[in-house]
Amino acid sequence: MPSRADDVDWDALRAAAVSVMRQAYAPYSSFPVGVAGLVDDGRVVVGCNVENASYGVGLCAECGMVSALHASGGGRLVAVACVGANGAPLMPCGRCRQLLWEHGGASCLLETPLGVLPMSEVLPQAFGAEDLDRAGE
Ligand code: THU
């Protein structure tokens, strides 16, 4: 599986994100989001945002993608493309960066408006499972 940005078919991953973005349920924000993740076994999992009349209950696209990751067999995310309505790379919100960290870790690559970056640069000094272990020391 690709560990270098050059080894990822970013056009295909972005196309999958654009395709699922068109399925978004975003009647309240009118801000559809789609995300596609390449899994370490070669699968591609996708998600779109799904809003709710109770605004705070809305689900970000990344939530759907992570659910699809586990529902389809688990694994680790190695590369992620997230897009908005114009099909251009969109930075995940803070909560969703934490989701990507949990399921992809520091080396997971993200296509950003400033190019492909590892999660270690997207969420520096991230809080993670190791911190839970350390907290007891
Ligand atoms: N949204 C996502 O789906 N992912 C993000 O990373 C940023 C925000 C959604 C949530 C809401 O449905 C809409 O975009 C506007 O905030």
Side-chain angles (χ1 to χ4, degrees), residues 39-41 43-45 65-76:
V39 186
D40 58 0
D41 65 0
R43 279 154 46 232
V44 171
V45 290
M65 180 186 70
V66 165
S67 183
L69 169 70
H70 288 281
S72 64
R76 298 287 288 169

Side-chain angles (χ1 to χ4, degrees), residues 79-124:
V80 173
C82 182
V83 301
N86 62 3
L90 178 75
M91 286 308 282
C93 72
R95 190 276 298 270
C96 289
R97 294 183 201 196
Q98 187 73 34
L99 281 185
L100 298 180
W101 184 272
E102 180 81 19
H103 301 283
S107 62
C108 177
L109 300 171
L110 177 72
E111 185 179 48
T112 83
L114 298 179
V116 174
L117 296 174
M119 282 303 298
S120 55
E121 290 185 38
V122 173
L123 194 62

Side-chain angles (χ1 to χ4, degrees), residues 28 50-60 63 95:
Y28 305 105
V50 178
E51 298 182 346
N52 193 286
S54 179
Y55 297 162
V57 182
L59 300 172
C60 281
C63 300
R95 190 276 298 270

